[in-house]
Amino acid sequence: MAGEPKIRLDHVSKIYQGAEGPAVAELTLDIDPGEILVLVGPSGCGKSTTLRLINRMIEPTSGRIYLDGDDVTDVNPDQLRRRIGYVIQQIGLFPHQTIAENVATVPKMLRWDRKRISTRVDELLELVGLDPRVYRDRYPKELSGGQAQRVGVARALGADPSIMLMDEPFGAIDPITRESLQNEFLRLQEELRKTIVFVTHDIDEAIKMGDRIAILGEQSVVHQADTPERILAYPVDDFVRSFIGAGTAMKGLAFERVGDLDLAPFDEGRNGDGKPVGTITADATLFEALEEMLRTADGKTVVVDESGRPAGVVELSHLSDALRTAQDEARRHYDELGAAS
Ligand SMILES: Nc1ncnc2c1ncn2[C@@H]1O[C@H](COP(=O)(O)OP(=O)(O)OP(=O)(O)O)[C@@H](O)[C@H]1O
């Protein structure tokens, strides 16, 4: 991608005291402004260490770290952390402080005046979907897990940092709340356009949240860093293939929209048995189209416009063609990369 990366890790290594080998070995990775880069990999591969190297909660043993092109490897870590929001799994809210006090942590450190802090706290609580009048004066123990996690996000956004580091932020939340927090967060990100480094060990979460995903092996070795579409279409090695697991073709269909297809003409909305076939709209994904075909046991589904009028038909062959096109594109991309290196 053109332009300067927001974050650059340049041959960064970390060897913990007394450890036999490095937890992170010679990691080089660029993170672009405004993207969500997900670090995903097996337990113990060095994801959290990598994240904490970025805001220097952990000091690198060697290598350089750049933010906006500036070498920050030796900058005072306190100053650095005010520019970088940090959200962790168990939130780490201060139990004896109210929600408002928790959210005000960084603005207080920056010595903002009282009025400005109070306005900012209300704004942040609104932003994460919590009514300040209800939640401001509560204590963390008076919140559900999902609400506490929202407060964690609000606190990390305190002084409007341009970078957010998120370490399994939705990891300890039940699956339903987790899904709605993921969706809310993606909506928020549309507005905020922060540069986000997001750690998870869950490949499905990575596919959903990431503009790009870096699949890490032992010692944070990058096996593949690319868009979810490309990783699904073209895993570069056996490690990536086994990590992303079964169902890659199906998962890949979630990235294509029915509206982008050259639809077959609509003749009649019935299958061979005379039963009506299912319908979807043009903004549906190919995954949803497939689901509809399976649900109604048809090899096709009718696309309808807003007034319910048929606009064309999606057939199974559209799905396999779309997958093949994605695979061809990814293969060409990696061939070109290989030729260039
Ligand atoms: N403070 C520490 N001191 C010594 N070794 C550590 C320390 N923190 C982590 N490690 C080791 O470094 C390696 C990487 O740990 P890290 O927590 O970064 O992995 P991870 O990929 O985030 O794991 P998980 O998904 O299980 O949280 C592990 O072998 C771990 O035991």
Side-chain angles (χ1 to χ4, degrees):
M1 189 168 291
E4 192 158 56
K6 183 78 187 172
I7 305 170
R8 164 164 285 175
L9 302 177
D10 183 14
H11 295 89
V12 173
S13 296
K14 175 67 191 178
I15 305 174
Y16 286 109
Q17 209 167 11
E20 287 198 356
V24 172
E26 298 272 329
L27 173 63
T28 294
L29 192 63
D30 284 356
I31 299 144
D32 292 316
E35 78 167 337
I36 302 184
L37 185 278
V38 180
L39 302 176
V40 66
S43 181
C45 73
K47 303 180 291 295
S48 298
T49 302
T50 300
L51 201 70
R52 288 157 171 234
L53 284 165
I54 296 173
N55 67 358
R56 303 242 319 282
M57 286 173 76
I58 294 175
E59 292 294 344
T61 310
S62 60
R64 310 304 301 175
I65 300 163
Y66 300 86
L67 298 189
D68 295 314
D70 299 331
D71 186 341
V72 294
T73 325
D74 303 314
V75 163
N76 175 337
D78 283 340
Q79 272 174 12
L80 199 61
R81 274 172 229 148
R82 288 170 199 175
R83 291 166 62 184
I84 302 178
Y86 183 58
V87 185
I88 54 173
Q89 185 178 108
Q90 298 296 358
I91 319 133
L93 295 181
F94 306 119
H96 303 300
Q97 291 188 2
T98 64
I99 300 313
E101 286 164 346
N102 266 283
V103 173
T105 305
V106 177
K108 269 194 289 197
M109 276 178 358
L110 295 174
R111 299 184 187 286
W112 290 11
D113 68 53
R114 229 184 229 266
K115 177 86 188 67
R116 184 174 172 208
I117 292 180
S118 171
T119 310
R120 180 68 179 151
V121 165
D122 286 356
E123 185 180 285
L124 286 165
L125 288 175
E126 301 255 7
L127 196 65
V128 298
L130 296 172
D131 183 346
R133 286 166 305 182
V134 178
Y135 293 100
R136 246 183 167 279
D137 299 322
R138 286 203 189 174
Y139 285 87
K141 67 173 187 311
E142 298 169 317
L143 301 181
S144 73
Q147 288 164 345
Q149 205 60 40
R150 288 194 181 97
V151 175
V153 171
R155 185 174 64 177
L157 288 168
D160 201 17
S162 57
I163 297 173
M164 296 268 280
L165 306 179
M166 306 184 78
D167 196 346
E168 304 236 15
F170 312 132
I173 309 269
D174 69 89
I176 293 177
T177 312
R178 183 180 202 196
E179 181 158 3
S180 68
L181 284 176
Q182 290 169 338
N183 294 339
E184 277 172 33
F185 189 75
L186 287 174
R187 259 199 310 277
L188 198 61
Q189 166 66 354
E190 291 267 302
E191 207 179 301
L192 301 177
R193 288 276 151 222
K194 304 287 180 196
T195 303
I196 296 169
V197 190
F198 188 110
V199 164
T200 179
H201 60 264
D202 174 356
I203 185 67
D204 290 317
E205 183 167 67
I207 291 168
K208 177 166 182 182
M209 302 303 287
D211 295 309
R212 285 193 309 139
I213 301 174
I215 298 196
L216 306 180
E218 287 300 303
Q219 303 180 337
S220 278
V221 169
V222 180
H223 281 256
Q224 189 167 8
D226 214 326
T227 60
E229 292 94 315
R230 262 207 211 115
I231 288 176
L232 289 170
Y234 196 81
V236 292
D237 61 22
D238 286 343
F239 178 87
V240 175
R241 205 166 295 117
S242 82
F243 192 77
I244 60 182
T248 55
M250 302 266 279
K251 287 173 188 167
L253 289 174
F255 292 97
E256 313 269 346
R257 302 237 163 233
V258 164
D260 297 328
L261 298 176
D262 196 5
L263 297 175
F266 171 78
D267 43 14
E268 64 165 338
R270 293 181 184 283
N271 66 16
D273 302 332
K275 292 196 200 110
V277 302
T279 60
I280 46 168
T281 51
D283 61 351
T285 66
L286 298 198
F287 184 81
E288 289 163 327
L290 175 63
E291 210 163 55
E292 193 57 31
M293 288 177 195
L294 295 173
R295 201 178 61 76
T296 57
D298 283 308
K300 60 181 180 179
T301 179
V302 173
V303 183
V304 292
D305 64 18
E306 304 90 61
S307 50
R309 270 191 303 269
V313 174
V314 186
E315 295 173 339
L316 261 181
S317 60
H318 282 111
L319 311 188
S320 43
D321 287 351
L323 287 174
R324 200 165 315 115
T325 306
Q327 278 161 1
D328 290 346
E329 188 279 331
R331 188 173 303 117
R332 244 191 335 270
H333 171 79
Y334 282 103
D335 285 349
E336 279 167 21
L337 277 186
S341 64

